[in-house]
Amino acid sequence: MATLLLVDDDRNLLELLSMACEDAGHRILTAGDGRSGLEVVKREAVDLVIADVNMPIVDGFTLVRRLREAGAAVPVILLTARDHEVDEALGLELGADDYVAKPYNTRLLLARVAALLRRDQLRGRNDGTPRLQHGHLTWDTERLEVRWRDQLLPMTVSEFRLVEALVRRPGVVLSREKLMDLVRGDDSVVGERIIDTWVRRLRRKFEGADASFDRIDTVVGAGYRWRSDGETR
């Protein structure tokens, strides 16, 4: 049984979503705004967060940003009534794992929850060794941790999966479609171009640890690849 935190200032929607998630077999925690939601994450073991974007005090975007700044890798699904690509890109740029527009189909939302929980649970089952190394990069599939030159880099589930997809295939050019399949592993409601956003975010994180980082190559018109140590452009 997974523990879900639902954050929304609309009490009626919060009750309806809580009942649907409980019927699906999950333990439910609730909060009426982002600030209260952050406090819940601090004191409770939360497996996934579903948060509305438009809330008083601390909105959904700020909630995601503060979670990621604190190093929390808990998967986050954002809900919004503003069905616009800019909003979606902003939410995912800040570190959200998925994005569902209101009014949403409850079965679709629960399917997205199940997919994220399944991906989180299975991340350590790719092989028998949870801690792996490739050059200066070390990643731990059980702890969902990535280190570059021994410096820990905070990662969301999607970011971790993207790094893993690239590093396990050094030198291989992977299309956005292929990367989306490797990262999400299901029929996604998120467009393939979000891979570009995730790559930009990853580059910033690696460059923050090492200004000379240049391992993620953009292959124009084809996709992305991971360059091995010692390989030149």
Side-chain angles (χ1 to χ4, degrees):
M1 177 174 64
T3 298
L4 309 186
L5 171 60
L6 312 181
V7 190
D8 199 322
D9 62 322
D10 188 321
R11 289 183 176 273
N12 291 330
L13 288 178
L14 199 58
E15 283 187 20
L16 290 173
L17 184 54
S18 295
M19 287 189 292
C21 291
E22 285 176 345
D23 288 344
H26 303 300
R27 172 177 175 251
I28 303 303
L29 303 172
T30 61
D33 61 75
R35 185 169 65 186
S36 300
L38 289 168
E39 291 301 317
V40 173
V41 173
K42 288 180 182 178
R43 66 174 186 265
E44 298 277 355
V46 175
D47 297 303
L48 184 141
V49 176
I50 302 175
D52 188 30
V53 167
N54 298 306
M55 294 185 292
I57 306 178
V58 173
D59 63 21
F61 290 145
T62 305
L63 169 66
V64 173
R65 178 174 55 79
R66 291 186 182 176
L67 284 173
R68 301 314 181 212
E69 287 175 348
V74 58
V76 179
I77 298 176
L78 287 178
L79 305 177
T80 181
R82 300 180 299 176
D83 186 10
H84 194 281
E85 288 183 0
V86 173
D87 293 331
E88 178 178 345
L90 176 59
L92 294 168
E93 174 82 18
L94 290 171
D97 293 274
D98 210 341
Y99 182 100
V100 178
K102 292 180 176 180
Y104 53 81
N105 180 293
T106 302
R107 289 182 63 184
L108 171 63
L109 179 57
L110 290 174
R112 301 304 306 150
V113 168
L116 281 173
L117 290 173
R118 183 169 61 250
R119 190 173 74 205
D120 200 24
Q121 292 165 356
L122 295 179
R123 67 179 183 269
R125 301 184 189 176
N126 291 324
D127 55 39
T129 307
R131 190 174 177 84
L132 304 169
Q133 187 161 357
H134 184 88
H136 297 301
L137 180 77
T138 303
W139 74 99
D140 190 316
T141 57
E142 289 185 348
R143 295 179 179 273
L144 200 70
E145 289 181 350
V146 172
R147 293 178 183 272
W148 179 258
R149 296 182 181 272
D150 294 325
Q151 183 170 334
L152 179 64
L153 307 180
M155 294 278 161
T156 67
V157 176
S158 296
E159 290 169 347
F160 182 89
R161 296 279 289 185
L162 180 55
V163 170
E164 190 174 36
L166 290 167
V167 176
R168 286 184 181 276
R169 302 161 182 82
V172 177
V173 179
L174 299 172
S175 67
R176 293 177 180 85
E177 180 182 6
K178 180 62 176 178
L179 285 169
M180 182 65 76
D181 181 61
L182 291 169
V183 171
R184 305 187 72 88
D186 52 33
D187 294 331
S188 177
V189 297
V190 181
E192 292 173 12
R193 283 288 174 178
I194 201 58
I195 291 292
D196 299 341
T197 297
W198 286 334
V199 167
R200 286 196 301 271
R201 199 164 66 204
L202 282 176
R203 281 174 171 154
R204 286 201 299 269
K205 291 185 177 184
F206 279 107
E207 289 166 0
D210 178 3
S212 65
F213 176 81
D214 61 354
R215 290 289 178 263
I216 302 176
D217 275 348
T218 300
V219 182
V220 178
Y224 297 97
R225 70 174 188 133
W226 183 274
R227 288 195 300 114
S228 300
D229 289 344
E231 182 183 353
T232 59
R233 290 182 183 276

